[in-house]
């Protein structure tokens, strides 16, 4: 099964049913299929075909979905780019991801896209065959990009010009998420069409979708969380509701106006919805809210859910396994309800299995014993793009994905997630490898070495940088902050730079190890003092 087949079938069986409501503008399944096929035809005329890689740098919008479906039809791979990314991250995706094309929205949200591209090394962007721009091709931002010598193609022209699309390429690797792992650089997680579609189908039964379901997708489509929310509705004939920029008040408005039945978000975002709502009647259409525990120190979520009469359950997922791959049961017949509000869950694929293993020996542990969570699931990635060795290292001989998470199994399908085994940080809902920030800080003037940890302030995790200065250098926190903002997404920029003479460390049998736990304690104290 591939997306062209599924969308053609839905265009016939659900033709007038709404597929997407984007900024209150509805699009039917019939319209969406026709739009994506016409776009595919014109992209093919420009030379986009099988195995090409298209970096899509867009927020949640109809164009994101149209482009994904068109690329899927042509056998091209979408490299999903977060709109919050800046020059360092864009350069990495376009360069190491070997993107052939870049689609962007130069005038979106006042972001200086032209300036960001200007900071990307020319040799990286030189491999691009063209930049496709959404919006006015004569706009200031687009013209600034064109002035630097890049070939510009107008998205609206490609979408609205009549064309004949070529035959569908079939199943292939179609979507790459970027994720921070245990290495210093993000990995590109590749999924094929059949796996994405099957995961969406299983979500329908697991989360109780029917013809009346309206699924709110507030998380970015460029990430596993937002994309799974989108496809769970898209491939099953349900309606997805989205907008490019969401906040608590706009999300509440969407829920009320469009009679949303399901949504999935981090625990802090859902708590804000409950606390901001005028009354439980705001959620009268809602059947299920799923939450991922991205923020610590939140202990009133259950109470607020009950006050607003909303059924709530904990979620689990990853880029490699897809998001929403597990949810804690809501009925006793499904599993152990005592852990219903803990992270983890019951795997939604009937054939999926979970176990834990000793991180040192790899020995499989008994149920109830904490260890590295390993999951076997049909939703698993094809692999890491262009990294066969990393792929082999992440998957056991019998097909289980080694998640790098600590937890314990309750049964062969249900488990509890406790924490990340490494030092990754969850910042603004995105999993970030500290090494990525540390490398950027260590390039700054006067900095000899850097360690970054996530400090906790209230319900938020914030990046704090501890730096050792070069001899004779002067600290420049304000200058460092501005320099970091030029090359990294804002949520990765350290909120505090603390100069130290040494990093706390301990000698082990094999090496001297920096004590990240002590740095986290120091970061917590600094943030508390600043508050």
């Amino acid at each position: 099964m591939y997306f062209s087949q599924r969308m053609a079938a839905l265009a016939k069986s659900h033709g007038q049913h709404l597929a997407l409501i984007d900024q209150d503008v509805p699009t039917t399944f019939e319209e969406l299929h026709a739009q994506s096929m016409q776009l595919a035809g014109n992209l093919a005329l420009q030379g986009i075909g099988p195995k090409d890689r298209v970096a899509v740098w867009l927020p949640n919008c109809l164009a994101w979905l149209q482009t994904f479906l068109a690329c899927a039809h042509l056998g091209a791979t979408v490299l999903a780019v977060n709109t919050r990314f800046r020059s360092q991250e864009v350069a990495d995706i376009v360069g190491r991801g070997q993107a052939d094309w870049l689609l962007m929205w130069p005038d979106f949200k006042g972001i200086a896209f032209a300036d960001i591209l200007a900071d990307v090394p020319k040799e990286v962007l030189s491999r691009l065959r063209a930049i496709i721009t959404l919006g006015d091709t004569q706009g200031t931002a687009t013209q600034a990009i064109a002035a630097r010598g890049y070939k510009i193609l107008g998205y609206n022209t490609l979408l609205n010009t009549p064309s004949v699309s070529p035959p569908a390429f079939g199943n292939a690797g179609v979507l790459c998420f970027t994720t921070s792992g245990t290495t210093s650089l993000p990995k590109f997680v590749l999924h094929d069409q059949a796996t994405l579609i099957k995961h969406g189908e299983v979500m329908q039964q697991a989360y109780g979708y029917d013809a009346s379901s309206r699924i709110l997708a507030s998380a970015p489509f460029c990430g596993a969380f937002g994309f799974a929310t989108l496809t769970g509705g898209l491939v099953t004939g349900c309606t997805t509701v989205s907008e490019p920029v969401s906040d608590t008040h706009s999300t509440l408005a969407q829920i009320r106006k469009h009679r949303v039945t399901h949504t999935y978000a981090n625990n802090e975002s859902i708590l804000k919805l409950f606390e901001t709502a005028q009354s439980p009647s705001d959620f009268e259409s809602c059947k299920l809210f799923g939450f991922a525990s991205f923020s610590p120190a939140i202990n009133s979520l259950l109470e607020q859910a009950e006050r607003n009469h909303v059924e709530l359950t904990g979620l689990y997922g990853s880029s490699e396994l897809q998001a929403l791959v597990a949810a804690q049961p809501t009925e006793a017949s499904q599993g152990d309800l005592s852990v219903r509000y803990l992270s983890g869950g019951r795997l939604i694929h009937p054939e999926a299995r979970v176990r834990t293993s000793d991180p040192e020996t790899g020995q499989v542990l008994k149920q109830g014993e904490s260890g590295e969570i390993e999951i076997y699931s049909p939703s698993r990635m094809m692999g890491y793009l262009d990294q066969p060795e990393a792929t082999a290292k992440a998957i056991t001989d019998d097909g289980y994905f080694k998640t790098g998470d600590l937890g314990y199994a309750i049964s062969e399908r249900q488990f509890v997630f406790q924490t990340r085994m490494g030092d990754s940080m969850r910042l603004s809902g995105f999993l970030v490898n500290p090494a990525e920030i540390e490398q950027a800080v260590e390039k700054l003037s006067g900095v000899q070495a850097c360690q970054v940890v996530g400090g906790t302030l209230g319900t938020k995790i914030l990046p704090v940088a501890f730096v050792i200065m070069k001899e004779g250098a002067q600290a420049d926190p304000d200058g460092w902050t501005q320099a970091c903002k030029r090359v990294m997404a804002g949520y990765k920029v350290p909120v505090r730079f603390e100069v130290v003479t040494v990093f706390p460390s301990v000698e082990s049998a094999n090496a001297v190890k920096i004590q990240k736990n002590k740095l986290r304690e120091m970061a917590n104290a600094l943030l508390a003092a600043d508050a």
Side-chain angles (χ1 to χ4, degrees):
M1 174 64 69
Y2 45 93
F3 276 96
S4 287
Q5 288 178 317
R6 177 54 54 91
M7 298 312 297
L10 287 170
K12 293 182 178 180
S13 63
H14 293 64
Q16 299 310 305
H17 193 75
L18 298 185
L20 183 72
I21 301 174
D22 172 29
Q23 300 183 84
D24 298 331
V25 178
T27 300
T28 67
F29 278 95
E30 185 177 68
E31 292 168 335
L32 177 60
H33 181 58
Q35 292 163 357
S36 60
M37 289 302 94
Q38 184 157 287
L39 177 62
N42 285 309
L43 292 178
L45 290 175
Q46 293 296 328
I48 297 180
K51 310 301 181 182
D52 274 1
R53 297 178 182 181
V54 182
V56 177
W57 195 9
L58 296 176
N60 289 5
C61 60
L62 176 60
W64 200 107
L65 181 52
Q66 292 166 333
T67 302
F68 170 79
L69 292 173
C71 287
H73 182 81
L74 297 173
T77 299
V78 169
L79 304 175
V81 187
N82 193 328
T83 56
R84 298 175 72 174
F85 280 1
R86 296 299 180 259
S87 58
Q88 178 175 285
E89 299 130 326
V90 173
D92 184 52
I93 293 178
V94 173
R96 197 159 51 89
Q98 300 184 54
D100 304 290
W101 307 80
L102 174 63
L103 169 61
M104 59 187 294
W105 189 351
D107 298 307
F108 172 67
K109 204 181 174 183
I111 297 173
F113 285 101
D115 292 340
I116 295 170
L117 287 181
D119 283 343
V120 176
K122 286 188 175 181
E123 61 269 20
V124 173
L125 294 180
S126 64
R127 69 169 291 111
L128 292 175
R129 296 165 65 181
I131 296 177
I132 304 170
T133 60
L134 188 65
D136 182 10
T137 57
Q138 301 304 311
T140 302
T142 301
Q143 287 301 299
I145 295 169
R148 292 190 170 95
Y150 302 115
K151 180 181 178 181
I152 302 295
L153 299 175
Y155 181 85
N156 289 338
T157 300
L158 295 171
L159 176 67
N160 296 318
T161 301
S163 69
V164 177
S165 59
F169 179 77
N171 187 41
V174 68
L175 180 64
C176 267
F177 302 118
T178 56
T179 181
S180 290
T182 57
T183 62
S184 60
L185 291 173
K187 296 185 181 74
F188 301 124
V189 181
L190 179 64
H191 287 277
D192 68 6
Q193 299 190 46
T195 300
L196 294 173
I197 292 171
K198 183 172 184 179
H199 189 57
E201 291 172 340
V202 174
M203 285 177 62
Q204 180 178 32
Q205 181 174 357
Y207 298 106
Y209 299 162
D210 58 30
S212 66
S213 295
R214 294 212 163 172
I215 304 155
L216 177 64
S218 57
F221 295 162
C222 63
F225 204 179
F227 187 81
T229 303
L230 169 67
T231 50
L234 178 69
V235 307
T236 60
C238 299
T239 302
T240 302
V241 180
S242 77
E243 55 186 348
V245 181
S246 296
D247 59 30
T248 300
H249 292 285
S250 69
T251 298
L252 278 172
Q254 295 285 316
I255 290 173
R256 290 190 293 260
K257 183 173 184 177
H258 298 298
R259 307 290 295 170
V260 166
T261 58
H262 298 72
T263 195
Y264 313 99
N266 65 68
N267 51 347
E268 183 179 14
S269 294
I270 290 181
L271 180 61
K272 286 181 179 178
L273 289 177
F274 291 150
E275 292 177 338
T276 306
Q278 296 178 355
S279 75
S281 63
D282 288 338
F283 304 105
E284 62 181 4
S285 65
C286 300
K287 296 181 179 179
L288 179 69
F289 279 11
F291 71 93
S293 294
F294 290 175
S295 299
I298 288 182
N299 50 28
S300 59
L301 185 59
L302 173 58
E303 177 185 339
Q304 288 285 355
E306 292 178 342
R307 183 178 71 82
N308 286 283
H309 312 303
V310 175
E311 189 168 59
L312 190 68
T313 190
L315 300 172
Y316 179 88
S318 69
S319 297
E320 291 88 348
L321 295 171
Q322 300 189 53
L324 284 73
V325 73
Q328 296 293 9
T330 57
E331 299 177 5
S333 61
Q334 299 173 335
D336 187 346
L337 292 181
S338 68
V339 296
R340 177 178 171 185
Y341 302 109
L342 299 179
S343 295
R346 180 176 183 264
L347 294 165
I348 66 172
H349 289 263
E351 58 268 55
R353 297 292 180 265
V354 63
R355 68 191 185 195
T356 59
S357 66
D358 186 307
E360 298 295 328
T361 67
Q363 180 181 355
V364 176
L365 302 174
K366 296 179 181 178
Q367 291 177 0
E369 293 186 26
S370 291
E372 181 175 12
I373 299 170
E374 298 181 347
I375 294 176
Y376 177 90
S377 176
S379 62
R380 198 192 76 200
M381 64 178 179
M382 292 178 68
Y384 296 117
L385 186 68
D386 302 329
Q387 291 185 283
E389 292 182 359
T391 302
K393 187 176 180 180
I395 299 172
T396 65
D397 292 341
D398 53 352
Y400 281 73
F401 172 67
K402 301 165 69 174
T403 65
D405 292 333
L406 187 73
Y408 59 92
I410 293 173
S411 68
E412 63 180 7
R413 287 185 63 189
Q414 188 181 0
F415 64 100
V416 169
F417 161 83
Q418 294 172 302
T419 188
R420 286 291 295 173
M421 292 178 60
D423 294 313
S424 296
M425 303 175 294
R426 184 70 71 172
L427 305 176
S428 295
F430 299 99
L431 193 63
V432 177
N433 188 332
E436 185 181 354
I437 306 175
E438 290 161 0
Q439 289 180 355
V441 173
E442 287 174 348
K443 295 177 182 178
L444 301 177
S445 175
V447 176
Q448 177 179 317
C450 175
Q451 288 290 310
V452 173
V453 296
T456 301
L457 180 64
T459 62
K460 293 185 178 296
I461 296 176
L462 302 170
V464 176
F466 292 89
V467 299
I468 295 175
M469 302 294 298
K470 294 178 180 177
E471 186 175 354
Q474 296 294 316
D476 182 18
D478 291 339
W480 294 341
T481 297
Q482 293 306 312
C484 286
K485 285 182 177 179
R486 286 188 67 87
V487 300
M488 290 186 292
Y491 60 84
K492 297 179 184 178
V493 176
V495 298
R496 171 77 181 253
F497 292 88
E498 182 71 7
V499 177
V500 296
T501 55
V502 294
F503 301 128
S505 60
V506 62
E507 288 193 24
S508 69
N510 300 312
V512 175
K513 296 183 178 180
I514 295 173
Q515 294 177 296
K516 289 270 191 174
N517 60 322
K518 288 194 175 182
L519 288 177
R520 278 189 284 269
E521 292 173 2
M522 294 165 62
N524 291 343
L526 290 168
L527 293 176
D530 290 341

